[in-house]
């Protein structure tokens, strides 16, 4: 062979071999079976055993009818998965090959070509196994056996000399909600729940990249790029950051490098409501002799964030300062979007986060009983200016503190922090959900007859995990600008007065304590990170509870089975009787249950916002559902907005008008979350339900930036001659570019003297309608298979409201509160 040709051939071979590449194994033909059986069935990866059993018609859909009870046997079995895949000679010539599992649920044994590679014990870990010496040209067999997490959890629980609450779930590093919650079914899964691939690499590869923000000003953003690189041999390499080339000297093995990088005239990433969530494109590549060995891409958001806790006259502050300014937090809590996480698509994540943004939210708390969410969740939050309060996955139980358990958690924390830390949306790392409170307040020690030493051991284990191991692991794996840690949410239980003067608070006096909604006006803490009330899902979602023709009746056992709180219906009915006429008709009951939830949450949110800056955050429980269910969510399992989500959007408006009733007056508050002051005309007008003007005042107002202030009050004597059961107070703020109104009612909904409205719907275009009424219409409910831009709204006579539709409808049904009381 010609020497020149030989050289060229060798160069091309070397160049090809230098590239890092991967072989996706999820797309191969997978099979699964019960470990007791011989017969293999087709499987889908990523997936779960329940999904595979459903696809093969071995089990019914557990979301329908009362099928959840029929599939409980699945959790007690062991399951085998296998696939065969081909490896080419070219792939074998790579210097290194790693088998990478991004998620295995949970206790598994991995075999490649008959050889045991690894035993796993954590759903939240990434498993990377060198397999270069085990791969063979042609067909290879990958097999994974999953052991029952329930049986393994029971075995581990027996090793502890006292009974742990919620046993055995707290012994397994697995999504805790799968064991059942008061809004979710018990579906304890197993399987390859995230992607699996083989990564090939040569010469050197980038392992991790950390972007540290050292200094941020209007002129420059000074960054340090920390990268970990694995190299086969020492030598000179180049590390490229966007267009900037850096020559680096690597030694054989692991290398930790820090490279400064500056961005001139930086644009800030702003939270929703304050401006654009601007993201820079960042590209990193490791090169040798002009060949790209390894590369990474990510989005960068430049912002500063602090958690401010300072003693003050009211106790101790708890607020987030973003880009140098106090940010009033408006948002919600997030649970997994499906009991079977692989069903959560990019589109579902994007829609839920956009729905949060549209409702004027700026933070979501990822609750500690679920999962560390998919990359797509954080990407959507980055793009939409939604901050993330990130719990670690521990919730409402006691957890072990033995060395094996702690070592496992340490690796879990490292894996997740490495994956998530560069997202500008991540604002806070929180150790757990309600475990401090569970130990102190829930009486488990008495219930399970703990000795003094048992109780002491629980507290010691708690401190080891949440006050030592997790914060120390964060220090090792985070740069200082990313490390904001809070051990437990809430910091103090809702029965203690200190829970309202410092830290974050979960207030459950409403619902669990069955206190009236009005108690929210008194129970306002520094940062309200949980509170809520249940409402039914939309009719469309309710119908999906049935496999056949739905029997929409409150007495139907299927409807009852999709309420997971033991006293849920009883509590809803009790609150409904207080505020509404309780309808016998199912459709009307569904409507009123949604209004009831929205009414309670409006009272809570407005009380919190009026108390700014004493209170600097409100995160309601909860945004979403994991199956069709009666729950605290504002958006149901199918993604439909309940009445509460429409109300949340109104209550979270950047400029809010809120009326607080006192013994002698009605206080009118203007709450402004914008960074600019607003000059406007303001006032109040009293109308009867026929639209007749009864009384009014007006004024010119200046509303300060980032403030909540009482702007005027109306003495109750002003209204003494009017029948307030058929009157509404309209308060308003308006200027050339702004118009904001609030309708305040003096009586509970059941005590309003409503007359029958004639509601007219006029079609403007295929996707726009105009709604009007002859007399006052309360809680106008538009019914149809489309998303309405507004719904469950009040409408004054002689006014109209334009509504856009997500898709055109021929017929739109309409209901109002009058229909439920007459």
């Amino acid at each position: 062979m010609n020497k020149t040709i030989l050289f060229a051939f060798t160069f091309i071979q070397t160049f090809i071999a230098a590239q890092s590449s991967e072989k996706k194994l999820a797309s191969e033909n997978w099979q699964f079976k019960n470990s007791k059986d011989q017969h293999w069935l087709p499987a889908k990866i990523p997936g779960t055993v329940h999904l595979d059993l459903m696809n093969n018609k071995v089990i019914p859909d557990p979301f329908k009818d009362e099928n959840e009870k029929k599939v409980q046997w699945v959790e007690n079995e062991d399951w085998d998965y296998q696939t065969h895949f081909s490896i080419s000679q070219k792939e074998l010539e790579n210097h290194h090959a790693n088998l990478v599992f991004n998620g295995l649920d949970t206790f598994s044994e991995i075999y490649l070509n008959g050889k045991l590679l690894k035993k796993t014990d954590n759903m939240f870990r990434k498993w990377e196994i060198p397999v270069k010496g085990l791969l063979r040209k042609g067909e290879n067999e990958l097999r994974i056996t999953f052991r029952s997490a329930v049986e393994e959890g029971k075995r581990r629980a027996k090793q502890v000399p006292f009974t742990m609450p919620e046993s055995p779930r707290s012994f397994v590093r697995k999504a805790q909600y799968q064991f059942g919650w008061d809004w979710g079914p018990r579906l304890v899964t197993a399987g390859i729940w995230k992607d699996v691939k083989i990564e090939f690499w040569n010469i050197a590869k980038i392992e991790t990249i950390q972007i540290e923000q050292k200094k941020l000003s209007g002129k420059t953003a000074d960054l340090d790029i920390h990268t970990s690189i694995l190299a086969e041999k020492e030598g000179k390499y180049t590390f490229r950051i966007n267009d900037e080339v850096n020559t680096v000297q690597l030694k054989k093995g692991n290398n930790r490098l820090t490279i400064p990088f500056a961005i001139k005239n930086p644009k800030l990433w702003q939270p929703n409501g304050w401006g654009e969530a601007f993201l820079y494109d960042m590209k990193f590549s490791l090169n040798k002799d002009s060949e790209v060995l390894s590369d990474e891409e990510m989005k960068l958001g430049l912002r500063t964030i602090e958690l401010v806790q300072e003693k003050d006259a009211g106790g101790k502050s708890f607020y987030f300062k973003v880009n140098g300014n106090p940010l009033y937090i408006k948002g919600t809590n997030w649970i997994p979007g499906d009991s079977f996480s692989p069903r959560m698509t990019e589109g579902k994540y994007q829609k839920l986060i956009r729905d949060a943004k549209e409702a004027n939210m700026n933070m979501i708390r990822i609750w500690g009983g679920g999962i560390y969410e998919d990359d797509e969740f954080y990407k959507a939050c980055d793009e939409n200016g939604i901050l993330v309060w990130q719990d670690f996955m521990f919730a409402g139980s006691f957890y072990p503190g033995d060395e094996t358990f702690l070592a496992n958690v340490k690796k879990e924390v490292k894996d997740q922090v490495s994956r998530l830390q560069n997202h500008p949306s991540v604002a806070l790392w929180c150790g757990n959900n309600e475990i401090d409170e569970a130990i102190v307040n829930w009486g488990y020690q008495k219930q399970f007859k703990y000795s003094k030493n048992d109780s002491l051991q629980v507290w010691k284990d708690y401190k080891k995990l949440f006050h030592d191991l997790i914060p120390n692991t964060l220090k090792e794996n985070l740069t200082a600008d990313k490390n904001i840690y809070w051990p437990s949410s809430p910091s103090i239980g809702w029965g203690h007065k200190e829970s309202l003067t410092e830290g974050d608070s979960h207030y459950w006096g409403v619902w669990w304590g069955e206190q009236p909604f009005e108690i929210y006006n008194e129970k306002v803490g520094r940062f309200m990170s949980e509170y809520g009330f249940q409402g039914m899902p939309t009719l469309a979602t309710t119908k999906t509870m049935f496999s056949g023709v739905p029997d929409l009746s409150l007495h139907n056992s299927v409807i009852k089975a999709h309420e997971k709180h033991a006293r849920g219906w009883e509590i809803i009915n009790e609150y409904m009787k207080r505020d509404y006429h309780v309808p016998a008709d199912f459709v009307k009951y569904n409507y009123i249950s949604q209004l009831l939830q929205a009414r309670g949450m409006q009272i809570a949110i407005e009380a919190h916002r009026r108390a700014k800056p004493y209170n600097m955050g409100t995160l309601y429980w909860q945004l979403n559902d994991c199956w069709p269910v009666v729950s605290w969510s504002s958006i149901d399992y199918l993604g439909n907005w309940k009445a509460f989500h429409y109300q949340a959007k109104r209550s979270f408006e950047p400029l809010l008008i809120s009326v607080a009733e006192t013994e002698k007056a009605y206080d009118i508050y203007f709450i402004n979350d914008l960074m600019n002051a607003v000059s406007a005309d303001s006032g109040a007008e009293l109308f009867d339900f026929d639209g007749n003007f009864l009384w009014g005042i007006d004024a010119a107002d200046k509303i300060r930036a980032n403030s909540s202030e009482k702007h005027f009050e109306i003495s109750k004597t002003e209204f003494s001659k009017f029948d307030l059961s058929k009157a509404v107070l309209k308060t308003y703020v308006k200027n050339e570019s702004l118009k904001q109104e609030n309708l305040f009612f003096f009586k509970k909904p059941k005590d309003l003297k409503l007359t029958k409205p004639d509601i007219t719907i006029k079609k403007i275009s295929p996707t726009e309608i105009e709604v009007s009424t002859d007399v006052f219409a309360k809680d106008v409910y538009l019914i149809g298979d489309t998303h309405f831009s507004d719904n469950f709204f009040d409408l004054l006579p002689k006014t109209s409201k334009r509504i856009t539709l997500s898709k055109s409808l021929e017929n739109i049904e309409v209901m109002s509160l009058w229909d439920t009381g007459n």
Side-chain angles (χ1 to χ4, degrees), residues 26 162 181 199 204 210 226 301 327 375 415 481 503 581 587 594 723:
F162 50 86
W181 225 266
E199 286 184 350
Q210 284 180 305
H226 305 286
L327 175 68
D375 292 345
D415 281 356
D481 58 315
H581 298 293
V587 173
Q594 291 192 53
D723 183 353

Side-chain angles (χ1 to χ4, degrees), residues 186-283:
R186 183 181 176 102
L187 294 166
V188 187
T189 62
I192 306 168
W193 74 289
K194 290 194 169 190
D195 278 338
V196 53
K197 60 188 176 182
I198 298 175
E199 286 184 350
F200 301 102
W201 65 278
N202 301 283
I203 304 173
K205 72 161 182 166
I206 299 168
E207 295 261 77
T208 61
I209 289 175
Q210 284 180 305
I211 302 178
E212 181 178 12
Q213 194 175 279
K214 300 293 286 186
K215 182 182 174 186
L216 182 61
S217 68
K219 292 183 179 180
T220 184
D222 292 328
L223 311 174
D224 274 351
I225 310 299
H226 305 286
T227 180
S228 176
I229 296 172
L230 189 58
E232 282 183 346
K233 56 186 178 182
E234 67 173 302
K236 283 190 177 178
Y237 296 75
T238 56
F239 188 80
R240 182 184 288 269
I241 307 171
N242 289 354
D243 296 326
E244 196 172 287
V245 179
N246 303 273
T247 301
V248 295
Q249 180 71 30
L250 299 183
K251 66 175 193 268
K252 184 178 179 180
N254 286 306
N255 295 263
R256 176 82 176 161
L257 305 178
T258 297
I259 301 168
F261 184 78
I263 296 174
K264 300 297 181 189
N265 305 313
K267 287 184 72 172
L268 295 185
W269 183 92
Q270 295 284 12
N272 184 35
W274 275 10
E276 182 185 2
F278 187 82
L279 295 167
Y280 286 90
D281 290 313
M282 298 296 291
K283 296 180 181 179

Side-chain angles (χ1 to χ4, degrees), residues 138-153:
E139 186 174 279
N140 291 257
E141 181 190 73
L142 179 60
R143 185 164 175 169
I144 302 112
T145 294
F146 290 95
R147 306 294 176 198
S148 164
V150 171
E151 295 302 319
E152 180 61 25

Side-chain angles (χ1 to χ4, degrees), residues 396-614:
S397 182
F398 302 168
Y399 287 83
D402 60 274
E403 287 185 16
T404 303
F405 187 86
L406 293 177
N408 195 1
V409 170
K410 186 177 180 71
K411 289 171 184 170
E412 168 190 324
V413 171
K414 182 179 179 181
D415 281 356
Q416 295 300 334
V417 164
S418 296
R419 178 172 71 97
L420 301 177
Q421 63 181 293
N422 292 315
H423 287 281
S425 55
V426 176
L428 177 80
W429 308 91
C430 179
N432 69 75
N433 172 78
E434 295 185 347
I435 298 176
D436 185 305
E437 180 171 6
I439 294 172
V440 175
N441 292 335
W442 291 1
Y444 283 135
Q445 294 89 332
K446 186 177 179 181
Q447 179 185 341
F448 294 116
K449 300 185 171 121
Y450 281 17
S451 68
K452 187 176 179 182
N453 283 340
D454 294 341
S455 296
L456 192 61
Q457 187 62 49
V458 166
W459 189 246
K460 279 182 180 175
D461 289 345
Y462 175 85
K463 298 266 285 186
K464 275 196 279 188
L465 183 51
F466 299 110
H467 288 264
D468 296 331
L469 182 125
I470 291 180
N472 289 337
T473 308
L474 292 180
K475 283 178 189 173
E476 293 166 11
N477 292 280
L478 285 174
T479 55
D481 58 315
K482 305 285 200 318
N483 191 2
I484 301 175
Y485 178 69
W486 187 238
S488 184
S489 179
S491 42
I492 302 166
W494 63 266
H496 300 267
K497 68 178 190 297
E498 293 85 3
S499 70
L500 300 178
T501 62
E502 60 184 88
D504 71 315
S505 176
H506 294 190
Y507 181 69
W508 286 104
V510 171
W511 185 267
W512 284 99
E514 297 184 52
Q515 294 289 316
F517 288 144
E518 289 72 22
I519 197 76
Y520 280 131
N521 293 314
E522 301 170 30
K523 302 294 186 179
V524 178
R526 309 311 297 261
F527 191 101
M528 306 302 290
S529 48
E530 263 195 40
Y531 58 92
F533 194 86
Q534 283 196 351
M536 292 189 76
T538 59
L539 289 170
T541 299
T542 303
K543 290 173 183 176
T544 68
M545 297 174 183
F546 297 83
S547 56
V549 178
D551 173 16
L552 298 182
S553 162
L554 291 170
H555 304 292
N556 186 283
S557 60
V558 172
I559 300 285
K560 288 181 176 179
H562 286 74
E563 161 63 274
K564 301 301 288 184
H565 189 281
R567 293 185 55 245
W569 291 114
E570 183 185 335
I571 295 171
I572 290 170
N573 282 324
E574 175 56 35
Y575 275 86
M576 196 179 287
K577 278 189 282 186
R578 296 175 190 176
D579 287 5
Y580 291 88
H581 298 293
V582 182
D585 174 78
F586 182 88
V587 173
K588 291 177 181 176
Y589 186 95
N590 176 282
Y591 163 61
I592 293 295
S593 91
Q594 291 192 53
L595 293 181
L596 178 70
Q597 180 190 29
R599 171 175 160 76
M601 296 300 91
Q602 178 185 8
I603 292 169
I605 292 169
E606 292 192 13
H608 300 160
R609 292 191 66 189
R610 285 196 304 269
K612 173 182 175 176
Y614 179 85

